[in-house]
């Protein structure tokens, strides 16, 4: 069982920045993929950015050039740097990791952290 604990959300003005952190209880070397998702009120959860075990990163079109996913392997922390934030970025942001084990994909989610972009 992998535990995920997010932090770093809050209220920010349009154009501002935030950095989200996700502490992962497992070694990154045991993970297949790490990602950030978000869910705005009344909308479905959507992918923001994904890092697939050294095989590259992908970003949603709506955050390209503004957000960056990264990892601190010394601390087992997944990060999301968010710049040039817009009101449409307001959502609960979720950390996600998965593992491949005996042909199965095991998925884990954090509890979510609220990001509100408003003046």
């Amino acid at each position: 069982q992998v535990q995920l604990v997010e932090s770093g959300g809050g209220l920010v003005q349009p154009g501002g920045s935030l950095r989200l952190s996700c502490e992962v209880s497992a070694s990154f070397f045991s993970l297949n993929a790490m990602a950030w998702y978000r869910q705005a009120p009344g909308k479905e959860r959507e992918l923001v950015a994904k890092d697939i075990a050294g095989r590259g990163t992908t970003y949603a079109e709506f955050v390209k050039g503004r957000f960056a996913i990264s990892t601190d392997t010394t601390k087992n922390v997944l990060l999301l740097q968010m710049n040039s934030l817009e009101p449409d970025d307001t959502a609960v942001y979720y950390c996600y990791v998965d593992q491949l084990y005996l042909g199965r994909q095991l998925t884990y989610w954090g509890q979510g952290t609220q990001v509100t972009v408003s003046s």
Side-chain angles (χ1 to χ4, degrees), residues 21-43:
S21 297
C22 175
E23 294 183 33
V24 182
S25 65
S27 168
F28 279 9
F29 297 105
S30 72
L31 303 178
N32 173 61
M34 298 169 283
W36 289 94
Y37 286 75
R38 71 184 188 186
Q39 187 167 19
K43 294 187 177 181

Side-chain angles (χ1 to χ4, degrees), residues 18-112:
L18 281 176
R19 189 174 77 162
L20 305 183
S21 297
C22 175
E23 294 183 33
V24 182
S25 65
S27 168
F28 279 9
F29 297 105
S30 72
L31 303 178
N32 173 61
M34 298 169 283
W36 289 94
Y37 286 75
R38 71 184 188 186
Q39 187 167 19
K43 294 187 177 181
E44 294 187 354
R45 192 171 297 189
E46 60 185 357
L47 176 67
V48 174
K50 178 176 266 190
D51 182 323
I52 302 178
R55 298 194 294 276
T57 58
T58 59
Y59 293 92
E61 282 296 323
F62 53 78
V63 302
K64 277 187 178 179
R66 300 189 298 126
F67 293 9
I69 188 171
S70 63
T71 59
D72 182 342
T73 57
T74 64
K75 300 178 180 178
N76 282 8
V77 173
L78 178 66
L79 301 167
L80 184 68
Q81 179 66 43
M82 305 186 295
N83 300 323
S84 301
L85 284 161
E86 305 167 353
D88 283 348
D89 294 319
T90 296
V92 178
Y93 284 71
Y94 296 91
C95 176
Y96 163 98
V97 302
D98 66 54
Q99 295 176 313
L100 300 178
Y101 180 72
L102 298 179
R104 294 175 56 202
Q105 184 183 44
L106 307 178
T107 62
Y108 304 94
W109 293 89
Q111 80 284 0

